[in-house]
Amino acid sequence: MSCLTMMALSATFLSATPQNDEVMTKENGMYVINTTTLGKNVTGYVSTTPLKIYIKKNKVEKIEALKNEETPKYFAKVKKGLLDKWNGLKVNEAQKKEVDGVTGATFSSDAVKENVKLGLEYYKSHK
């Protein structure tokens, strides 16, 4: 094989290799969607509400809140009353699920729901 052929094959292989994805990674056999950049324009009452969405075998395993500037007292209600609503659902089911917000934390709840929506859409289009 000529040097030129080897270079062409290398270039083809490198261009076909997925680039580093800061939104979706694999961890312990699960896809992990980080909505920090996806939801950079989605704000709760005070700030953005980034999440990590863990998906295994096309089912939502868990959703965890990342660092944010929301009022801790109210965001604790969101974490307790909202984040597990999608657990165990297939991604298609989770996307269709209508989830009520947490009373007293409406803006934060809406932002979390929008981040879940963005994360699940990203997963479906990039898995």
Side-chain angles (χ1 to χ4, degrees):
M1 201 179 284
S2 74
C3 185
L4 191 54
T5 304
M6 288 290 286
M7 287 173 52
L9 285 173
S10 294
T12 302
F13 175 74
L14 289 174
S15 66
T17 304
Q19 300 302 311
N20 186 17
D21 188 343
E22 65 184 34
V23 176
M24 185 164 66
T25 57
K26 276 198 109 172
E27 188 177 301
N28 298 324
M30 285 187 265
Y31 286 98
V32 181
I33 312 302
N34 183 324
T35 68
T36 300
T37 56
L38 284 176
K40 66 184 176 201
N41 297 320
V42 177
T43 57
Y45 188 72
V46 176
S47 70
T48 59
T49 57
L51 306 170
K52 276 191 175 180
I53 304 169
Y54 295 82
I55 300 171
K56 185 175 185 177
K57 296 183 181 175
N58 208 41
K59 283 188 178 180
V60 176
E61 291 289 315
K62 71 177 180 175
I63 298 174
E64 68 182 33
L66 298 175
K67 184 176 174 15
N68 62 66
E69 301 299 321
E70 295 295 274
T71 307
K73 174 182 171 182
Y74 294 105
F75 202 73
K77 291 180 180 185
V78 172
K79 290 194 311 191
K80 183 178 179 185
L82 192 63
L83 294 182
D84 66 350
K85 298 296 183 190
W86 296 273
N87 291 359
L89 297 177
K90 290 186 180 199
V91 171
N92 286 339
E93 295 169 335
Q95 285 184 294
K96 294 174 187 172
K97 184 168 175 96
E98 294 289 328
V99 177
D100 290 332
V102 176
T103 303
T106 304
F107 292 110
S108 298
S109 295
D110 289 346
V112 165
K113 291 189 292 184
E114 182 64 21
N115 272 294
V116 170
K117 177 184 168 191
L118 292 170
L120 296 176
E121 286 172 359
Y122 188 91
Y123 167 79
K124 282 186 69 176
S125 63
H126 291 84
K127 65 178 177 173

